[in-house]
Amino acid sequence: MDADVAHPTRTLRAGRPADVRREHLPLGEPAGTPDRIEVTSGRLERGGRPWFPVTGEVHFSRVPRERWSEVLGHARAGGLTSVATYVFWNAHEPAPGDFRWDGDLDLRAFVVTAAGNGLDVVLRLGPWAHGESRHGGFPDWLVARDLATRTNDPAYLELARRFYAETTAQVADLTHASGGPVVAVQIDNELYDQPEHLARLRETAEELGLRVPVWTATGWGGAQVPDTLLPVYGAYADGFWEEAGTDWPAYGRLHFRYTEDRDDLSVGADVRAALDGVTSAAVARTDDTAFPFATCELGGGMHVAYHRRPLVTPEDVAALALAKIGSGSVWQGYYVYAGGTQRTGVEGTQQESHATGYPNDVPTRSYDFAAPIGEHGQVRRHHHLLRRQHLWLAEDGPALATMPTVVGGGSDDPAELRWAVRSDGRRGYVFVTTYQPARRPLAAQPGVRFTVEFDDGAVTLPSRPVDLPAGVSVAWPVRYPLTDGLVLRSATAQVLTRTTVAEQEFVVLVATDGVPVELVLEGRPAVSGTARAQLRDGATVVALTREPGPSCVVELPGVRVVVLDEATANRLYALDLDGARRLVLSDAPLYAGEGGLVLHTDRDAITLSVLTGRAEDPWSTRTVAVAGSGTVTLLRDLHPIAPAPPAPRRGGPADRLSAPTDFSGAARVHVDVPPELLTGTDRVLLRVDWTGDVGRAVVDGVVVSDHFWHGRVWELDLTPWRDAVSRDGLDLKLLPWRVATGVFVDPSVRDVPDGVHVRSVEVVRIARVVVATGVSSMV
């Protein structure tokens, strides 16, 4: 049977942009403002152009100050345009009137450092924050006063005003209106039923001199957000806040489909019930047409609680993020983008817990969140997967922001093809996905082919049906302009980025593993390079004669199209170097700084390639030797015995399993680290591959890290403790896994025996290399 008959073409009607409403919201800046930021009903605009921000959460007070620039450098290299950060009240006013803005709490210095790395800043101002912080960020002394917090109670407002005044004093001259990086402020967090209070908090901040173009509030859970604030939304693949008996929450499946529903009614529902006494079902907003679809908490990973420990993968994070773009997002915001460490204060550790009336016990120290950048600066796979999307948004995000979405395949039927079209009526993107997390995977989709109907005609893509493998998400360009006179009618590869080198235009695409690359060009342009062309239906159909990769270059009039494979695309950076935008391939995470490239690696050598304008080979490559790096195994295959593990306990308002606090009967593994492994490098991590329940690392009597085992290795930073570890080593105190306790872990790691098993303990030496010269000479 003919493939076109066996798998009929799906006809999709592209949407058309509606006229956006302007100046209907008390947001944005007045006409004539330099680099003016506006909020319309459909998108944000900046400098008179559509603007597609990409924001990642980085909590300055949970990251050592000496690492701020590194983390922010990697964030910018990862394609973020801004960072968001909580201002935790309990960190900055530990006692009434005693304000702290020094050291790791220096908000002003963090904002300045972000600007120095080319990043805008979104302040999440509180007063209440959540963020798995003790009392949601409220100081203990405030909680003890038993006020009607998070309302317009005069006594509470007076204290909140004082906190806002001190915070504003740190940043008032760093806002966008003053030429600074602070472009937005979020008021409170997850407040559902107090719109008058949210409005009053904004008024208070403005009265104190804080002027920003964008004011936001979290809109999920059917929150009642006043029209003085932009509602922003979240989406998570899974949640530690669910019950231990929940296999995979229903909202998890929702977020891997294309949908015009912005809200997630479940995020924060357990805390809402526990703290606010709200037990009725939330109701989603029925009319979002006044506001653009903005997000602030797309799960960059997932934290763990004692009772429930999800395992969200890098692929989950990337697929969910792309699904939100396909669903119409015009502002991608991740929570969190860089993990951190919970602070300690006069009350002890500062995490959310049953002891402070919260429904969840979370680790006392680690707030790694399995984020793209880990608690100790580890750069992970989803940093690279997301960077591919962010490179695309940097290139075509302004056009994408003007494109409304039309979605299909929105049911929960796993056999249904899931698709969406974003279009301005003339060109756009077709989104297709066969991705869901491993516990509920989707099948491959055979014979995928679409006809997209635009105002002035239709485009069918691909020219012949293609089989889409399981586990992929794509955004295929339709009528993408390669040059002023050359249009890519369609492609089964995705747009990655574009640049000009040596007066030559380059467009970079990325192939999808398992999907043949087809480029269809309008008209009859000359085609050469690693491609062959044939005319079909009045267009030029291009097939590759070489596998996608750095040397796969399709030569077209006025433009060279590089088609990368996915592994190479994950190594691609677009960086400002030597006064120009350069495309760099690197084996190690890097960012632009100190007059060149700053790299962090445990390898003994790294390969760098820079895109050039040379005809014979588009990349210039060099190898950089690295000293002070490597991995050394200290211990292997241990089965220590815990002589008297504590009995399970329950607590908190939801009566969930409580984290053990008694480690007197824990198994003990002493680790001696040779002193020479602790010096001569930038950072030293200890990597523990183990199974068990809860682990603590103790150095010189101090718990420096803890880990609720959930299938990932445990990594802790020895760098701040070098002297003590060199002298005395450290102790791992490990409680045994017991299936009968009823803790949830992912099915993929669930089949482990009771007890403690330490597969290995390794020292990982992370070197820092600055390639300060030779970048220009490579071009």
Side-chain angles (χ1 to χ4, degrees):
M1 181 180 293
D2 186 274
D4 291 3
V5 176
H7 303 290
T9 300
R10 296 166 175 85
T11 299
L12 318 179
R13 177 60 189 173
R16 300 181 60 183
D19 291 336
V20 296
R21 283 184 276 171
R22 299 177 181 275
E23 300 182 359
H24 63 297
L25 300 169
L27 300 168
E29 295 170 315
T33 303
D35 193 35
R36 181 190 184 193
I37 292 176
E38 297 179 78
V39 181
T40 76
S41 59
R43 60 180 177 267
L44 290 90
E45 296 183 356
R46 187 167 186 171
R49 299 182 65 236
W51 178 39
F52 201 129
V54 180
T55 304
E57 192 91 8
V58 181
H59 297 154
F60 69 97
S61 60
R62 288 170 166 167
V63 176
R65 180 174 181 152
E66 60 270 18
R67 286 207 298 107
W68 285 351
S69 189
E70 172 194 329
V71 169
L72 294 169
H74 282 302
R76 184 71 187 101
L80 300 192
T81 64
S82 52
V83 290
T85 193
Y86 278 130
V87 185
F88 291 115
W89 192 351
N90 55 12
H92 298 287
E93 193 181 6
D98 176 21
F99 284 92
R100 298 282 308 278
W101 303 101
D102 59 325
D104 297 346
L105 302 178
D106 192 338
L107 171 62
R108 182 180 182 84
F110 178 80
V111 172
V112 170
T113 304
N117 282 276
L119 292 161
D120 294 326
V121 175
V122 178
L123 293 181
R124 303 183 83 177
L125 199 59
W128 192 82
H130 198 194
E132 290 67 66
S133 178
R134 180 182 177 92
H135 297 305
F138 277 168
D140 276 50
W141 59 262
L142 174 69
V143 175
R145 297 190 182 189
D146 198 28
L147 301 176
T149 58
R150 308 181 76 191
T151 72
N152 283 341
D153 173 73
Y156 172 68
L157 283 178
E158 180 181 358
L159 296 172
R161 183 182 183 89
R162 183 175 71 187
F163 172 56
Y164 270 19
E166 292 286 336
T167 305
T168 297
Q170 303 299 312
V171 298
D173 62 336
L174 297 177
T175 62
H176 185 255
S178 301
V182 181
V183 296
V185 167
Q186 179 186 303
I187 294 297
D188 210 84
N189 192 56
E190 297 174 343
L191 186 57
Y192 303 90
D193 58 353
Q194 295 289 326
E196 295 85 1
H197 178 57
L198 291 173
R200 182 69 189 107
L201 288 174
R202 173 184 167 172
E203 292 169 3
T204 299
E206 289 184 309
E207 290 166 2
L208 294 166
L210 188 57
R211 305 285 178 179
V212 295
V214 184
W215 296 86
T216 76
T218 51
W220 56 76
Q224 300 172 39
V225 178
D227 63 8
T228 56
L229 303 173
L230 171 67
V232 289
Y233 294 94
Y236 289 92
D238 204 337
F240 69 83
W241 50 82
E242 294 291 331
E243 299 296 338
T246 301
D247 175 40
W248 190 31
Y251 61 77
R253 292 187 288 278
L254 171 70
H255 294 315
F256 289 94
R257 302 196 297 266
Y258 307 112
T259 174
E260 295 181 20
D261 293 334
R262 302 179 182 183
D263 202 352
D264 183 333
L265 302 181
S266 64
V267 178
D270 60 336
V271 173
R272 182 167 70 244
L275 301 187
D276 303 330
V278 179
T279 57
S280 59
V283 178
R285 299 172 64 91
T286 57
D287 180 15
D288 283 306
T289 59
F291 304 96
F293 179 18
T295 69
C296 69
E297 288 201 17
L298 302 179
M302 179 46 59
H303 201 32
V304 294
Y306 180 73
H307 74 285
R308 194 169 196 280
R309 310 173 191 181
L311 190 64
V312 172
T313 70
E315 289 74 18
D316 295 343
V317 172
L320 185 150
L322 190 59
K324 291 304 166 185
I325 298 175
S327 298
S329 168
V330 297
W331 185 349
Q332 295 286 92
Y334 302 98
Y335 189 96
V336 294
Y337 195 82
T341 303
Q342 294 276 15
R343 298 178 309 100
T344 56
V346 294
E347 306 88 1
T349 54
Q350 296 291 296
Q351 83 287 356
E352 165 186 318
S353 68
H354 291 172
T356 56
Y358 279 70
N360 309 299
D361 264 350
V362 298
T364 62
R365 300 307 313 276
S366 177
Y367 198 67
D368 180 83
F369 216 88
I373 300 174
E375 177 181 5
H376 308 302
Q378 312 97 306
V379 176
R380 296 181 172 133
R381 177 172 168 79
H382 35 325
H383 172 78
H384 307 301
L385 296 176
L386 291 174
R387 185 175 65 250
R388 286 163 47 180
Q389 297 179 23
H390 302 159
L391 288 173
W392 167 46
L393 293 178
E395 194 284 306
D396 210 27
L400 194 67
T402 69
M403 300 177 182
T405 190
V406 176
V407 304
S411 75
D412 204 24
D413 181 358
E416 186 178 20
L417 181 64
R418 300 176 178 184
W419 58 266
V421 180
R422 288 190 72 165
S423 165
D424 62 7
R426 299 176 302 278
R427 75 175 187 95
Y429 291 89
V430 173
F431 295 79
V432 195
T433 185
T434 61
Y435 189 92
Q436 265 190 183
R439 74 184 81 171
R440 294 285 191 280
L442 300 179
Q445 287 284 346
V448 173
R449 194 185 192 201
F450 301 96
T451 293
V452 184
E453 295 182 340
F454 293 101
D455 293 345
D456 58 351
V459 174
T460 297
L461 72 153
S463 65
R464 294 286 185 266
V466 65
D467 294 340
L468 204 61
V472 301
S473 294
V474 300
W476 288 338
V478 187
R479 290 181 171 174
Y480 177 78
L482 293 172
T483 68
D484 287 342
L486 182 59
V487 174
L488 180 64
R489 179 181 290 184
S490 67
T492 56
Q494 300 180 78
V495 176
L496 196 54
T497 188
R498 66 190 304 158
T499 191
T500 302
V501 179
E503 300 183 352
Q504 297 179 70
E505 184 78 7
F506 284 85
V507 171
V508 184
L509 308 179
V510 55
T512 300
D513 291 346
V515 179
V517 174
E518 176 191 82
L519 311 180
V520 181
L521 304 165
E522 294 192 351
R524 300 185 177 186
V527 177
S528 60
T530 58
R532 64 175 183 270
Q534 63 176 339
L535 294 176
R536 188 184 302 159
D537 300 328
T540 301
V541 180
V542 178
L544 304 180
T545 59
R546 178 178 293 175
E547 290 296 314
S551 59
C552 181
V553 184
V554 181
E555 305 285 355
L556 300 172
V559 65
R560 305 175 72 183
V561 178
V562 181
V563 184
L564 298 179
D565 60 288
E566 292 199 74
T568 302
N570 291 341
R571 299 170 49 228
L572 183 71
Y573 290 79
L575 303 171
D576 293 327
L577 297 169
D578 306 322
R581 187 170 182 268
R582 307 293 189 193
L583 299 188
V584 180
L585 295 173
S586 174
D587 292 339
L590 58 78
Y591 60 91
E594 301 183 34
L597 298 173
V598 182
L599 303 96
H600 295 85
T601 184
D602 59 355
R603 301 185 180 198
D604 59 6
I606 54 176
T607 301
L608 293 174
S609 300
V610 178
L611 184 69
T612 71
R614 297 184 307 186
E616 66 280 7
D617 182 356
W619 302 91
S620 178
T621 299
R622 65 180 289 191
T623 299
V624 179
V626 179
S629 59
T631 300
V632 177
T633 301
L634 302 179
L635 300 170
R636 190 182 296 278
D637 199 24
L638 304 178
H639 293 269
I641 302 299
R649 298 178 300 113
R650 289 185 174 271
D655 193 36
R656 291 171 174 169
L657 286 165
S658 299
T661 56
D662 180 5
F663 280 72
S664 59
R668 177 180 176 272
V669 174
H670 183 74
V671 181
D672 286 314
V673 181
E676 63 270 18
L677 295 181
L678 294 165
T679 59
T681 193
D682 182 64
R683 186 174 309 130
V684 181
L685 303 183
L686 193 74
R687 179 181 293 156
V688 183
D689 185 358
W690 76 299
T691 62
D693 185 22
V694 177
R696 285 182 174 177
V698 180
V699 176
D700 205 19
V702 177
V703 177
V704 299
S705 179
D706 59 344
H707 189 251
F708 293 179
W709 175 78
H710 57 288
R712 289 189 177 88
V713 296
W714 175 16
E715 293 181 320
L716 53 141
D717 189 2
L718 299 182
T719 313
W721 310 93
R722 278 173 165 154
D723 292 344
V725 172
S726 178
R727 182 182 65 247
D728 301 321
L730 73 153
D731 287 328
L732 302 178
K733 295 184 177 181
L734 309 173
L735 293 176
W737 179 254
R738 292 180 293 197
V739 173
T741 301
V743 167
F744 173 92
V745 292
D746 191 85
S748 66
V749 300
R750 196 173 290 169
D751 188 20
V752 297
D754 285 3
V756 174
H757 180 200
V758 180
R759 298 187 184 97
S760 64
V761 177
E762 299 174 327
V763 168
V764 183
R765 290 161 52 83
I766 309 294
R768 183 178 185 271
V769 180
V770 179
V771 183
T773 60
V775 176
S776 295
S777 64
M778 294 172 67
V779 179

